[in-house]
Amino acid sequence: CNQASTVHSAQVKQCEQKQVVFETKFCDRVGACPQYVACRSSSEADQESAHADAKVTEAGMQATHVAARRVQCYIKVVQAAHEARPALLASCSSLQPSTSHLAIVYGRAPARSSCEASQGDPCDAEWRHRHYGTEDWYAGAPPMASCSTCRAMCSSFVCPSGMIARPHADELQGSDRETCCEAKNMWAGLILRNDHVWRFGSTGELFAGRSFTVETWVKLNAVGGWHSILGQNYDLARGAGLHLMIRGGRPHLGFYSYDLHGTRSLEPHRWTHVAFVYDAEAREMRIFLDGAPAGVAANMQPLHGDTDVFVGSYENGATLNGAMLRLSVWSVARSAAEVEEAFNLRVAPTEIRPGLVSSWS
């Protein structure tokens, strides 16, 4: 029995190795055919362009040769006796010297090879049934090794300058920067849980006297009380106390005495997209929940002062009882359409955009 088990284990290992080889070669064929077609098309286009340039040069060289031969003929007319010149001139005018020695032979590309791309993916159920499930041996010895997907994975994609790979890139399927990369100033994971507080910057750097937009996703454990998103921790003067928070279940945008309380409430234990917008030119505050307007206030003076701003704290309290992610700060008043787009996109910006100051994913 032990000997049979040993033989079986060795056979299983051999079968798994062959399965990996088979699926890998299948995937190689999947990628090879499109690559061949793309390479062939590109090469044909290059050849056509080169031939077009060569034909221009060829015609110019032939014209130069004909002109030179006729000039030689006309010189002989000038040098000839007067009575011979009319006949010579006529012959020069009709002279058509051969240019065959200047003709270029344009080679043709070889015929295209037949290329039929493999269909499906080894990790798809339909593919596994077609290649394995119809075999006689399948019922007694189904494939046991992990499948080898043909789909491009972000782990093999090189992010362009100014961007870095997204977290868990080795688990993401894709071969483009939108899927696989994020800007260098974006960090993965939840940036705030419960009473963790980070210094974010200062009001003078980011908010005072100017337009701004703050967007984030929030999930509250309870809707009662004050839950700060961004705030100041010092004695506050009128119009100089930034506090963006959830107050009594509703979003609240305030400068201390210049405040806007949202018209709709968040639900506990549910992720909600919140956007706070201040338009300095219009002197207007706006709040959005899940991409839809949730409050507006006019005749609001810009924030002033220059003190530290913290994530998750206001007046050394009002910490967030819940979680927050994808915090983005803009130096512009984003439009309702842009806020709605951010809600529908459900990811942090993947590249530096005009007006984007900071973003954490």
Side-chain angles (χ1 to χ4, degrees), residues 185 200 202 205-207 210-216 229-230 242 244 276 309 311 326-332 334 349 353-360:
N185 71 330
F200 181 78
S202 72
E205 294 171 338
L206 301 170
F207 305 107
R210 70 193 71 182
S211 299
F212 65 82
T213 301
V214 175
E215 299 172 326
T216 189
I229 294 173
L230 289 178
L242 178 71
L244 312 180
F276 303 94
V309 178
V311 176
R326 299 172 188 160
L327 173 65
S328 299
V329 177
W330 304 76
S331 62
V332 295
R334 305 197 81 202
R353 300 180 183 178
L356 179 62
V357 176
S358 294
S359 184
W360 287 268

Side-chain angles (χ1 to χ4, degrees), residues 75-335:
I75 291 175
K76 291 180 179 180
V77 172
V78 175
Q79 294 174 339
H82 289 285
E83 63 274 13
R85 289 178 182 177
L88 286 174
L89 179 61
S91 66
C92 290
S93 299
S94 60
L95 180 63
Q96 292 292 335
S98 173
T99 59
S100 60
H101 62 291
L102 297 174
I104 298 176
V105 178
Y106 296 91
R108 292 184 177 181
R112 288 197 175 208
S113 299
S114 60
C115 182
E116 182 180 352
S118 302
Q119 300 297 317
D121 186 276
C123 290
D124 294 340
E126 191 279 332
W127 186 97
R128 298 180 75 79
H129 173 75
R130 184 170 71 252
H131 291 275
Y132 298 145
T134 57
E135 299 293 333
D136 295 337
W137 47 262
Y138 181 78
M144 301 181 67
S146 299
C147 60
S148 303
T149 182
C150 301
R151 302 182 181 95
M153 304 299 291
C154 284
S155 55
S156 60
F157 182 77
V158 179
C159 293
S161 176
M163 305 188 79
I164 59 175
R166 285 188 180 277
H168 311 297
D170 56 336
E171 300 174 4
L172 297 176
Q173 293 180 1
S175 58
D176 58 89
R177 70 178 188 173
E178 285 75 17
T179 304
C180 303
C181 308
E182 63 186 26
K184 283 186 177 179
N185 71 330
M186 301 176 187
W187 297 312
L190 299 179
I191 66 167
L192 178 70
R193 280 192 180 278
N194 299 329
D195 60 353
H196 292 77
V197 178
W198 290 0
R199 180 186 179 279
F200 181 78
S202 72
T203 54
E205 294 171 338
L206 301 170
F207 305 107
R210 70 193 71 182
S211 299
F212 65 82
T213 301
V214 175
E215 299 172 326
T216 189
W217 288 82
V218 178
K219 182 170 70 172
L220 298 179
N221 295 329
V223 295
W226 292 14
H227 306 271
S228 179
I229 294 173
L230 289 178
Q232 297 169 235
N233 287 346
Y234 303 96
D235 292 335
L236 306 176
R238 179 181 173 87
L242 178 71
H243 50 292
L244 312 180
M245 61 174 56
I246 310 300
R247 181 186 290 185
R250 297 183 182 182
H252 187 92
L253 165 58
F255 297 165
Y256 195 68
S257 296
Y258 294 99
D259 291 25
L260 169 62
H261 198 55
T263 58
R264 295 191 289 118
S265 300
L266 283 74
E267 298 177 15
H269 311 296
R270 174 183 176 274
W271 284 108
T272 304
H273 185 264
V274 185
F276 303 94
V277 179
Y278 178 71
D279 188 332
E281 183 176 353
R283 296 291 196 268
E284 188 174 83
M285 291 179 174
R286 299 189 287 268
I287 293 176
F288 298 83
L289 281 184
D290 285 343
V296 60
N299 301 317
M300 293 294 181
Q301 297 299 313
L303 181 75
H304 63 85
D306 187 14
T307 55
D308 288 341
V309 178
F310 293 85
V311 176
S313 180
Y314 172 63
E315 291 188 318
N316 294 305
T319 53
L320 182 75
N321 180 14
M324 179 168 63
L325 57 79
R326 299 172 188 160
L327 173 65
S328 299
V329 177
W330 304 76
S331 62
V332 295
R334 305 197 81 202
S335 67

